[in-house]
Each structure stands twice: as structure tokens, then as C-alpha cells.
């Protein structure tokens, strides 16, 4: 209980004093996470819609593989990205290792299957309802995908928020490819791991409380802006 109390006190002190390191780390966490989620959404949402409206021979296998990829081990993803971006790797010439860009790449790989799979599950039911209408209108595949994405936009927020929650709490992959370098690649999760390693549990708890609060605030803001609470439903 003492550690929890001290952790709350540490979090309160960091926020009230507008600690410069905290602000820098928090902004970097948001930068990496939001960038990864936006890129993952650009790829995952259309792919989920495409899976909903397209029938092909190995579709069930493709969906099963996509669902399985939702559980990709972050450490393995980090290791693969590390190898690809290292100096001996195929993309080493770009010098991306131990930069925020490398962290974003790792998070995109982790988050994209989550957004794609959840969006497919949501749009699959819409396609069942709109199938006959859209086909009778002689729409193209892209038009059908666009119609599903637009009409299911509120339910797709859940997929995006799930991806956001997965990304902002990520540590394994970004620790490997980012290196937890002060003033360069240190984010809230890696900062918490560092303080735990130092034995400063109150500060680690304080950073943890700030991370949770930040995630809650952003989730609530998105719900309010998108008005998903309309008619008393979330």
C-alpha cells in the first residue's frame, strides 16, 4: 500500500510540476502510438472490408491466419524488425534502428492484424445485410468496400481503440528496436521498465498511473468526438 500511495504522490507531483522529461516522454509515446495506429488503420480497415466482400478459394485460411496474427509475440516482431533494420540487414542502409521510426514500424506490424481482423468481423455482418442491395446496384468492389466502411464507421472505432490500447502499452518490441535511449526513443512503457530495474517503484507506479490516465482520456475523447454514446449506447 505504501508503494501505491507513493506512486500516486509521484504521479501527482510530476503532473503538477509539469516535469519536462515527463512531457517529452508522454508526447513521444503519443507520437509513436498514434502514427502506428494511423498507418495500421490505412492498411487494416480496407483489408478487413476487402475480406468481407471478396470470395476466393483460400479465404477461410486467410481469415484464420489473420486472426492468429492478432497474437503475434511482440518480442519476436521486435527481433525480426531489428534484424531487417540492422547494418547487416536489407534495410540497414536507412539507419532506422534505435529511432522512433523503427518503433513505429514494429508497432504497425503488431497492430495491423488486430485492426484488420476486428474490422472484418464487424463489416462481415453489414455485408450480409447489404449484399443484395449493393449487387443489384451494380457497384464495383471498391464502392462496396467504401459503403461498408462508411456505414460501419462507428463500430470500427472499437477496432481502432483496441489497436491504440495494444500499441500504447507495448514494450517488448519497441525496447528491442528503440533501445530506450534518453531524449530519443524513451517512451512511458520503457521508462517504467527502467525505473523498475533501478528499484524506484514509486516513480514506476507514478508513470504507470499517468500512462493509464492518458489512455483513458484519449479513449473518452474519441468516443465523445465520434458521438458513439448517442442514444445512450456505447
Amino acid at each position: 500500500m505504501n508503494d501505491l500511495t507513493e506512486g500516486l504522490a509521484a504521479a501527482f507531483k510530476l503532473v503538477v510540476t509539469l516535469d519536462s522529461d515527463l512531457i517529452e516522454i508522454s508526447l513521444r509515446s503519443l507520437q509513436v502510438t498514434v502514427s502506428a495506429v494511423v498507418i495500421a488503420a490505412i492498411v487494416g480497415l480496407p483489408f478487413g472490408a476487402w475480406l468481407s466482400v471478396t470470395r476466393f478459394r483460400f479465404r477461410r485460411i486467410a481469415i484464420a491466419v489473420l486472426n492468429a496474427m492478432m497474437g503475434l509475440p511482440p518480442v519476436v516482431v521486435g527481433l525480426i524488425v531489428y534484424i531487417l533494420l540492422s547494418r547487416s540487414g536489407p534495410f540497414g542502409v536507412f539507419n532506422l534502428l534505435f529511432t522512433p521510426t523503427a518503433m513505429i514500424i514494429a508497432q504497425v506490424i503488431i497492430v495491423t492484424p488486430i485492426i484488420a481482423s476486428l474490422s472484418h468481423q464487424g463489416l462481415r455482418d453489414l455485408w450480409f445485410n447489404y449484399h443484395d442491395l449493393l449487387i443489384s446496384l451494380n457497384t464495383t468492389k471498391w464502392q462496396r468496400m467504401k459503403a461498408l466502411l462508411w456505414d460501419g464507421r462507428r463500430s470500427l472505432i472499437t477496432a481502432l481503440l483496441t489497436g491504440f490500447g495494444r500499441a500504447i502499452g507495448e514494450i517488448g518490441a519497441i525496447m528491442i528496436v528503440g533501445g530506450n535511449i534518453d531524449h530519443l526513443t524513451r517512451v512511458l512503457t520503457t521508462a517504467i521498465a527502467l525505473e523498475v530495474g533501478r528499484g524506484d517503484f514509486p516513480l514506476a507506479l507514478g508513470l504507470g498511473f499517468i500512462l493509464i490516465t492518458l489512455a483513458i482520456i484519449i479513449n473518452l475523447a474519441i468516443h465523445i468526438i465520434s458521438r458513439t454514446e448517442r442514444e445512450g449506447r456505447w
Side-chain angles (χ1 to χ4, degrees):
M1 286 300 296
N2 288 335
D3 283 342
L4 288 174
T5 303
E6 292 176 8
L8 285 171
F12 182 76
K13 180 180 179 181
L14 289 172
V15 172
V16 170
T17 59
L18 295 177
D19 183 80
S20 58
D21 287 340
L22 172 66
I23 294 174
E24 178 189 348
I25 291 172
S26 299
L27 290 178
R28 188 176 299 113
S29 296
L30 288 177
Q31 173 200 352
V32 171
T33 300
V34 172
S35 299
V37 172
V38 168
I39 296 172
I42 292 173
V43 176
L45 293 180
F47 185 66
W50 180 81
L51 274 179
S52 299
V53 303
T54 306
R55 296 294 181 270
F56 53 94
R57 185 174 182 181
F58 299 106
R59 179 174 176 270
R60 292 183 181 275
I61 296 177
I63 293 173
V65 171
L66 179 62
N67 291 336
M69 289 179 67
M70 292 177 65
L72 281 175
V75 175
V76 176
V77 172
L79 179 60
I80 293 173
V81 174
Y82 181 95
I83 293 172
L84 293 175
L85 299 183
S86 64
R87 290 189 178 274
S88 59
F91 303 106
V93 66
F94 297 108
N95 294 320
L96 295 177
L97 199 60
F98 302 131
T99 66
T101 302
M103 298 160 67
I104 292 172
I105 292 172
Q107 287 200 353
V108 167
I109 296 173
I110 294 171
V111 173
T112 299
I114 296 175
I115 293 179
S117 181
L118 293 179
S119 63
H120 164 255
Q121 292 173 25
L123 297 177
R124 180 177 54 190
D125 296 333
L126 274 180
W127 175 240
F128 178 78
N129 294 329
Y130 292 172
H131 176 272
D132 294 339
L133 174 62
L134 291 175
I135 290 181
S136 66
L137 294 175
N138 198 29
T139 55
T140 64
K141 184 172 294 185
W142 168 245
Q143 289 173 325
R144 297 169 190 175
M145 292 167 53
K146 185 178 179 181
L148 291 182
L149 288 170
W150 175 253
D151 206 58
R153 61 191 183 279
R154 294 189 186 279
S155 62
L156 294 178
I157 291 176
T158 301
L160 296 179
L161 291 178
T162 302
F164 175 84
R166 181 68 180 83
I168 200 170
E170 173 53 38
I171 181 172
I174 60 175
M175 182 76 83
I176 294 176
V177 301
N180 195 22
I181 303 172
D182 195 17
H183 302 299
L184 181 61
T185 60
R186 183 163 298 165
V187 293
L188 282 169
T189 50
T190 57
I192 292 171
L194 176 65
E195 297 306 329
V196 170
R198 290 174 173 174
D200 194 345
F201 295 105
L203 181 55
L205 281 169
L207 291 171
F209 290 138
I210 292 171
L211 176 63
I212 294 172
T213 302
L214 188 63
I216 291 174
I217 290 174
I218 292 176
N219 274 264
L220 287 175
I222 292 176
H223 276 300
I224 292 172
I225 293 173
S226 60
R227 303 173 73 179
T228 54
E229 78 285 358
R230 190 173 61 176
E231 297 180 0
R233 296 188 303 174
W234 283 75

